Amino acid sequence: MRWRLRSVRTSILLLVLVPVLSLIGIYVFAIGSTARDAVNLSRANTVKNTLGEPIAAFMAQLSRERLLAIVYMSSPAARISPT
């Protein structure tokens, strides 16, 4: 078998092409990952509006109930006298 010698231009092209293609692959991966994060971040506002507002209303009512319970328990009429 006879090996064909490559020209200097072809050797340099191969030596440059491999790192450039690897760099392009890394850039594509980074852009894809960033775009996926951006899409998830844009969906986060919808999730906040769908879940966050009802939960916030529930927590406000719960806080109000706790305050009313404390007021009720601290009033003298609420105390049970031991007999």
Side-chain angles (χ1 to χ4, degrees):
M1 224 189 233
R2 186 174 167 187
W3 294 95
R4 196 179 85 170
L5 295 176
R6 296 182 184 147
S7 68
V8 173
R9 182 181 297 167
T10 306
S11 297
I12 292 174
L13 180 67
L14 286 176
L15 287 173
V16 170
L17 193 63
V18 170
V20 168
L21 288 176
S22 299
L23 190 61
I24 289 172
I26 291 172
Y27 282 151
V28 167
F29 174 75
I31 289 171
S33 176
T34 305
R36 184 176 54 241
D37 290 342
V39 168
N40 288 340
L41 188 59
S42 69
R43 290 182 187 161
N45 195 23
T46 305
V47 171
K48 181 186 94 43
N49 291 338
T50 304
L51 297 176
E53 291 175 2
I55 291 173
F58 173 75
M59 292 302 291
Q61 289 295 324
L62 188 61
S63 295
R64 185 168 183 261
E65 182 182 356
R66 286 178 183 163
L67 178 64
L68 291 173
I70 290 171
V71 169
Y72 176 76
M73 294 299 289
S74 66
S75 68
R79 296 186 186 175
I80 301 172
S81 61
T83 359

